[in-house]
Amino acid sequence: MPPLYRLAEVGIYSLLNFLPLMVLALYPFRHRLRFSKTATAGLVVALSLLQIFLGWQAAFFSTSAGLLSAVSTLIYAAFYFFAVKVKVGKTGFTLLLLSNNANFIVTSSKCLEGLLFPSLARQSYRWSFSLCMLVVEMLVWIPLFFYMKKVYTPAVEKEPSGIEWRYLWLIPFTFYIIWYYTLYGNSTKSSLELALEPKNTIALFFINAGAFLVYYIVTRLLIEQQKNLRLQENNHLLEMQSLQYAYLQDKITEARRYKHDARHHLALMQELLKKGEYDKLTEYLGSFSNALPNVSDRIYCKNTSVSALLAYFAQQAENSGIEYTVNADIPEDIKIDVTDLSVLFGNLIENALHGCMADDSTKKKIMIWAKADSYSICVAVDNTFTGAPLTDSEGGFLSTKHEGKGIGTESVKSIAAKYSGVTKFEYGDGMFYASVMLNI
């Protein structure tokens, strides 16, 4: 049994080598964890204790230190991929990025130990190594944390419009290969001897500095891409609001016209009444009543914004010879942003309208069902559709108007994610089915 101070030295090294790496890796996805934050913290503590135990095994009780190191790496990698609910490309990129920096920290710490504590540097897991590692980690992890917070996290929090993350993980993987070849490719020395040579630490520093520059450029490009996508979504929202405004303006103009004409109608009815021509008055009242617009047919729900959109597209569908049915129950005071409601309904119905217009069947129809209660809002928009929509390799719907994914479906998915909801798009038997559920 090794002395207590040796157990402490190995335990401290194991914690320094694992805990900061895992905390930084989880930080960008702290809102996308599979478990609660408390449960995740408990699992990280358990993994830290396991890392300490494996470190003791490798240092004192086993001759297969390399195998134990590989097992340790597999355990924390498996936990990380399972604990975070995002695409594997994002987690892979993050883990490789931080692992490369962790390897640089270990090598730099050993080199610094060789310079400051040469008598202890050739021994394994001494307090001097942990001290040097703590210093190097502060110099590396602190600026890296600000990069993760200010630049990297905004880049990974939202989905880009393409398939970038399926391949971006190859960037840190390539730098890992370069790092490994530079250090071990043409050398017969042990890893300890290589780490003690300052030239190797300098080479690794420039490799990591170049890698960091590439990471920064890539994440900035992703952020700019997201900004462009948001601008497109905002432009689409303005279009939806313009449609609502145009419809309301038409109704106001129509109401003014009827108000103006009503004076003439009233004058004529008063004249018939004075003359006692009641039969003619009754006949005229009937024709006048039939000429009045049926406003109730265009009020689909209590929510003014949603009802205006539904009415606008009803007119569009009528002009295009499309059967248009609505069953909506959306209150005025629903606790969902009116902008999100406009984008949600506008995109779903507009896509359905375009789908019907591209349909070559004789009987085209759009069926809308929407219901809201205190907990959720559910919307389903079905339309006739022949053929098959264009999709990418991930199953996303491509636009028929421009290159890339359709802005409408991506906006609907974004709103659903904002309210922790779900979306579902299906097609078959001459119909396209779109459904959305938002949590209130």
Side-chain angles (χ1 to χ4, degrees):
M1 184 68 184
L4 186 60
Y5 78 91
R6 287 292 292 143
L7 291 173
E9 284 180 325
V10 175
I12 292 172
Y13 164 77
S14 299
L15 279 179
L16 289 174
N17 197 37
F18 167 76
L19 195 55
L21 169 66
M22 184 54 66
V23 171
L24 266 182
L26 290 172
Y27 179 80
F29 310 110
R30 60 194 182 280
H31 303 304
R32 303 290 296 276
L33 299 175
R34 192 174 301 276
F35 313 105
S36 68
K37 291 183 179 180
T38 303
T40 303
L43 290 171
V44 170
V45 171
L47 276 177
S48 300
L49 296 176
L50 179 60
Q51 294 295 318
I52 293 174
F53 175 76
L54 292 176
W56 287 341
Q57 290 292 319
F60 307 121
F61 306 109
S62 175
T63 57
S64 304
L67 177 61
L68 287 172
S69 176
V71 169
S72 171
T73 301
L74 287 174
I75 289 174
Y76 79 72
F79 163 76
Y80 182 64
F81 283 114
F82 182 73
V84 177
K85 294 189 297 182
V86 296
K87 292 181 179 179
V88 175
K90 288 185 179 182
T91 48
F93 186 98
T94 307
L95 201 59
L96 285 166
L97 181 157
L98 294 174
S99 294
N100 288 346
N101 281 277
N103 291 330
F104 170 71
I105 288 172
V106 170
T107 304
S108 302
S109 300
K110 180 55 71 172
C111 180
L112 182 62
E113 184 190 23
L115 296 173
L116 299 179
F117 309 96
S119 60
L120 298 174
R122 294 187 176 276
Q123 301 178 37
S124 300
Y125 311 113
R126 295 309 307 270
W127 63 267
S128 53
F129 187 29
S130 295
L131 178 62
C132 292
M133 180 176 286
L134 181 61
V135 173
V136 175
E137 281 187 342
M138 291 178 65
L139 294 174
V140 174
W141 286 139
I142 290 178
L144 189 58
F145 169 76
F146 285 103
Y147 162 75
M148 299 291 283
K149 180 180 180 180
K150 300 293 185 180
V151 181
Y152 189 74
T153 299
V156 300
E157 277 185 336
K158 291 188 177 181
E159 296 290 341
S161 60
I163 54 175
E164 291 85 348
W165 291 105
R166 293 178 59 185
Y167 305 103
L168 284 177
W169 65 271
L170 291 170
I171 296 175
F173 179 75
T174 301
F175 278 108
Y176 175 81
I177 298 298
I178 295 172
W179 168 84
Y180 190 88
Y181 180 79
T182 301
L183 202 58
Y184 302 110
N186 298 310
S187 178
T188 57
K189 298 179 181 179
S190 66
S191 58
L192 175 62
E193 292 174 323
L194 291 170
L196 289 173
E197 296 179 2
K199 65 178 184 179
N200 293 324
T201 299
I202 295 173
L204 290 182
F205 171 79
F206 283 107
I207 291 173
N208 277 274
F212 181 79
L213 179 61
V214 173
Y215 302 150
Y216 179 81
I217 293 172
V218 167
T219 47
R220 290 301 307 178
L221 288 174
L222 288 173
I223 291 173
E224 290 302 315
Q225 181 188 20
Q226 291 170 11
K227 287 181 180 178
N228 290 335
L229 182 59
R230 283 197 295 271
L231 285 174
Q232 290 177 329
E233 292 175 348
N234 289 336
N235 288 336
H236 201 61
L237 170 61
L238 289 174
E239 291 178 12
M240 293 297 102
Q241 292 175 335
S242 296
L243 295 180
Q244 291 174 297
Y245 178 75
Y247 175 79
L248 292 174
Q249 284 292 100
D250 288 341
K251 294 301 146 186
I252 292 171
T253 302
E254 187 177 345
R256 285 175 176 170
R257 185 174 68 250
Y258 276 101
K259 182 179 179 181
H260 177 269
D261 294 343
R263 290 181 297 173
H264 302 293
H265 292 300
L266 288 173
L268 179 57
M269 285 186 285
Q270 285 175 344
E271 186 65 24
L272 292 173
L273 184 61
K274 287 179 182 179
K275 293 179 178 180
E277 298 178 359
Y278 301 114
D279 292 338
K280 289 184 179 181
L281 178 60
T282 302
E283 182 182 351
Y284 188 80
L285 282 172
S287 62
F288 177 67
S289 177
N290 292 331
L292 290 174
N294 192 345
V295 179
S296 62
D297 287 348
R298 296 300 188 185
I299 299 177
Y300 292 99
C301 64
K302 295 179 180 178
N303 189 282
T304 308
S305 298
V306 173
S307 187
L309 271 176
L310 291 169
Y312 171 81
F313 284 111
Q315 187 65 51
Q316 297 296 305
E318 183 180 324
N319 295 340
S320 302
I322 300 171
E323 181 184 340
Y324 185 87
T325 58
V326 178
N327 183 359
D329 182 12
I330 309 296
E332 182 65 38
D333 59 347
I334 187 170
K335 293 181 180 178
I336 289 182
D337 188 77
V338 65
T339 298
D340 294 332
L341 277 177
S342 298
V343 172
L344 178 67
F345 279 89
N347 283 319
L348 288 175
I349 304 172
E350 186 181 44
N351 287 346
L353 192 64
H354 290 160
C356 280
M357 289 178 176
D359 186 10
D360 54 11
S361 63
T362 56
K363 190 174 182 180
K364 305 176 182 181
K365 60 182 178 180
I366 296 174
M367 296 173 290
I368 302 168
W369 180 90
K371 175 74 174 177
D373 56 27
S374 301
Y375 306 100
S376 64
I377 175 173
C378 299
V379 183
V381 179
D382 305 334
N383 62 276
T384 51
F385 181 76
T386 55
L390 300 174
T391 58
D392 59 18
S393 58
E394 294 183 321
F397 293 101
L398 298 175
S399 174
T400 57
K401 307 172 192 174
H402 55 79
E403 293 184 358
K405 290 187 177 181
I407 297 173
T409 52
E410 292 304 302
S411 295
V412 170
K413 290 179 181 178
S414 177
I415 292 171
K418 178 179 177 180
Y419 293 92
S420 302
V422 293
T423 59
K424 191 174 184 180
F425 300 99
E426 298 177 304
Y427 59 93
D429 299 327
M431 294 290 293
F432 188 92
Y433 307 96
S435 54
V436 182
M437 188 279 289
L438 309 181
N439 289 305
I440 298 178

